[in-house]
Amino acid sequence: MASDSRADLKTGTLTLDGKTYSFPIRWGTSGPPVMDVGKLYGTTRIFTYDPGFSSTASAESKITYIDGDNGVLLHRGYAIEDLVAHGDFLETCYLLFYGSLPTPAQKADFDNRVTRHTMVHEQMARLYHGIRRDAHPMAVMVGVVGALSAFYHDSIDISDPHQRMVASMRMIAKLPTIAAMAYKYSRGEPFVYPKNDLPYAANFLHMCFSVPFEEYRVNPVLARAMDQIFILHADNEQGASTSTVRLAGSSGANPFACIAAGIACLWGPAHGGAHEAVIKQLAQIETKKRVPEFVARAKDPEDSFRLMGFGHRVYKAYDPRAKLMRQICHDVLKETRADDPLLEIAEELERVALADEYFIEKRLYPNLDFYAGLTLRAMGFPPSLFTAVFALARTAGWIAHWMEMIADPHQKIGRPRQLYTGYARREYVPIGRRD
Ligand code: CMC
């Protein structure tokens, strides 16, 4: 990593009302220095104000590092490109959970332990039938994953590392089953039980696309693509949904309920919901010829329209996940021998936007979501399921962060403060005396 010219910086000072206060500067392994303002209010009676966390580190973590200026994503120090090229999703899960790559024996044991938990309690299947059939799969995911907390009382003792790991395994194992059941329910098709002789991603495809009355063979190219898609979604540092899981978990809440909170946050179009929004937008653009019209709208300060799948709070260069996803998209389309007119529009949109001064100046590049929806569509998933696929893969990262937080002896409940701009104290007037 590039060295920082401020490497000697140990403290930062703040002058308020003629008085100078010092605060420690902390240096991570990589990334800019961080001023520790934990004692700011106690010593100065002043808070910081940073509602979108634009300049605030909310956690100390050893899991994932993003160098947004150079388009780098590392999990436990390993580049996303290497994990996608050489490993599989369960290896990435192991890495996120335990901090190192598994040996062959550790990997076999881990895969086996996850596989043994793929089935959900039969009573859970009945839960689906209480939900409207046309419900969005993310609504189903929030409810059903939240309901897992009612099924596993033994995971409640979160002070026990063993129970934490068992709960984590269960979530990794059951999320594909739950997402596939949400899909089947929306189609009015029978649920398909997991098949434990299939690898993780292939099993997910089997649960989504097989029907009881026909032989279903998982296409190995699509299964590999599915696995790579899972790896690309596994973690992305302190994104909104990960921060939600951490905040929910900071009170000591049930981990299954915390993951449900993460799923709720992920659903929004500024986050994982962008997968679906990108496809809707590409369909709205309709033809390559109309790309300039939509780019012009995205630049217009009077128009709230944004290019979905563009921009990121941290990546100010090409999102490395988007680069990999674009390649996977082409691989899938080649395998399925299909053409997608929306891909043509997407590539034209990228070409026009990346050459445009507005996008260059604001450093807006395609993000993971830009090609993810197209890839999942090419694999046969409907847009409404895209974010559920994101959720099942991101569960790995959410859990890793939750476990890291709970194991931290300095962990405290998350409790932001506010800049209050409401009424000062007012005199209460009984209802009979109000005009
Ligand atoms: N199209 C047009 N202009 C944009 C876009 C866009 N997609 N994204 C940001 N801008 C402009 C924005 O208008 C603002 O301009 P100005 O400084 O003149 O007000 C500037 O760029 C900075 O934007 P911001 O909203 O302050 O940036 P942010 O870091 O708060 O938001 C973002 C990041 C991802 C929410 C935003 O870029 C966005 O809404 N993108 C579209 C939705 C999307 O693709 N979301 C997926 C995010 S990545 C994967 C994930 O987390 O799930």
Side-chain angles (χ1 to χ4, degrees):
M1 299 292 150
S3 63
D4 195 303
S5 59
R6 301 162 297 181
D8 290 338
L9 210 56
K10 299 278 184 300
T11 51
T13 55
L14 198 62
T15 304
L16 295 164
D17 215 11
K19 242 180 125 185
T20 301
Y21 302 89
S22 288
F23 298 96
I25 298 286
R26 299 191 55 192
W27 286 85
T29 331
S30 309
V34 172
M35 187 151 98
D36 182 346
V37 293
K39 295 203 165 40
L40 178 71
Y41 181 67
T43 49
T44 65
R45 311 308 281 172
I46 280 186
F47 292 133
T48 53
Y49 177 69
D50 184 17
F53 295 93
S54 297
S55 300
T56 301
S58 63
E60 181 182 328
S61 182
K62 293 182 168 50
I63 299 172
T64 290
Y65 174 69
I66 300 174
D67 175 351
D69 289 331
N70 295 303
V72 172
L73 170 64
L74 309 177
H75 294 318
R76 304 282 191 185
Y78 296 101
I80 187 69
E81 290 81 2
D82 288 334
L83 296 172
V84 167
H86 308 298
D88 67 18
F89 177 66
L90 287 185
E91 178 188 78
T92 296
C93 291
Y94 186 100
L95 178 67
L96 293 172
F97 288 10
Y98 292 101
S100 56
L101 288 169
T103 63
Q106 287 167 334
K107 175 69 165 53
D109 175 60
F110 186 76
D111 287 6
N112 182 42
R113 280 188 290 149
V114 171
T115 305
R116 277 193 292 118
H117 287 298
T118 50
M119 210 162 67
V120 295
H121 196 288
E122 200 56 26
Q123 251 184 305
M124 285 201 76
R126 286 189 228 137
L127 272 177
Y128 287 78
H129 296 284
I131 300 172
R132 279 177 67 127
R133 179 131 98 248
D134 58 357
H136 194 284
M138 285 299 277
V140 179
M141 296 284 285
V142 172
V144 175
V145 174
L148 277 177
S149 58
F151 283 82
Y152 297 106
H153 297 298
D154 58 339
S155 63
I156 297 289
D157 183 7
I158 58 168
S159 65
D160 175 356
H162 173 71
Q163 289 195 38
R164 289 202 294 269
M165 191 51 85
V166 172
S168 302
M169 293 291 188
R170 283 192 169 127
M171 282 188 263
I172 289 296
K174 291 184 202 308
L175 259 288
T177 313
I178 290 170
M181 286 168 82
Y183 176 54
K184 287 298 196 190
Y185 185 69
S186 71
R187 291 179 64 84
E189 289 179 12
F191 296 140
V192 175
Y193 285 110
K195 214 164 176 280
N196 285 351
D197 57 348
L198 288 175
Y200 190 88
N203 187 33
F204 179 61
L205 293 176
H206 155 77
M207 290 188 290
C208 287
F209 298 123
S210 72
V211 283
F213 42 83
E214 264 174 28
E215 180 71 17
Y216 176 78
R217 284 234 203 88
V218 181
N219 177 320
V221 175
L222 299 189
R224 175 70 185 139
M226 188 79 259
D227 200 69
Q228 290 176 315
I229 292 168
F230 289 162
I231 299 173
L232 286 176
H233 286 86
D235 193 40
N236 200 35
E237 201 228 58
Q238 312 298 331
S241 56
T242 304
S243 300
T244 300
V245 171
R246 279 187 177 260
L247 194 57
S250 74
S251 70
N254 180 291
F256 296 96
C258 296
I259 298 302
I263 294 173
C265 177
L266 185 73
W267 190 359
H271 196 0
H275 277 42
E276 189 178 344
V278 167
I279 295 295
K280 280 192 186 143
Q281 193 166 88
L282 292 172
Q284 189 192 2
I285 295 174
E286 249 184 317
T287 146
K288 265 167 66 169
K289 278 195 235 129
R290 293 187 68 200
V291 163
E293 179 194 323
F294 282 84
V295 170
R297 278 192 65 191
K299 289 160 46 177
D300 181 353
E302 303 301 316
D303 192 334
S304 61
F305 178 86
R306 284 187 170 200
L307 286 189
M308 298 313 286
F310 266 80
H312 196 277
R313 174 66 61 77
V314 187
Y315 295 109
K316 299 300 175 195
Y318 209 105
D319 182 337
R321 303 167 302 167
K323 217 176 273 174
L324 294 162
M325 188 62 87
R326 186 178 49 190
Q327 184 54 50
I328 298 169
C329 185
H330 281 285
D331 294 348
V332 168
L333 285 171
K334 191 169 158 216
E335 177 63 17
T336 54
R337 294 198 189 86
D339 266 341
D340 188 345
L342 296 190
L343 177 63
E344 220 187 34
I345 298 172
E347 289 185 324
E348 176 67 0
L349 191 59
E350 176 180 343
R351 192 188 65 74
V352 172
L354 292 187
D356 191 288
E357 205 42 52
Y358 173 95
F359 288 83
I360 295 169
E361 194 228 313
K362 295 191 188 302
R363 303 171 78 190
L364 300 169
Y365 292 85
N367 55 47
L368 170 69
D369 304 52
F370 192 64
Y371 285 106
L374 287 163
T375 315
L376 291 167
R377 178 175 140 104
M379 294 186 66
F381 291 102
S384 62
L385 205 75
F386 295 170
T387 313
V389 173
F390 188 160
L392 84 84
R394 182 57 59 85
T395 296
W398 290 333
I399 292 170
H401 284 273
W402 173 79
M403 285 201 286
E404 179 178 64
M405 182 189 68
I406 298 295
D408 178 355
H410 304 297
Q411 184 261 329
K412 282 182 175 193
I413 188 165
R415 197 342 179 152
R417 302 303 299 265
Q418 63 171 3
L419 171 64
Y420 176 69
T421 53
Y423 285 106
R425 187 176 183 127
R426 297 199 279 176
E427 197 186 331
Y428 181 82
V429 180
I431 193 160
R433 289 206 273 120
R434 287 177 220 155
D435 299 331

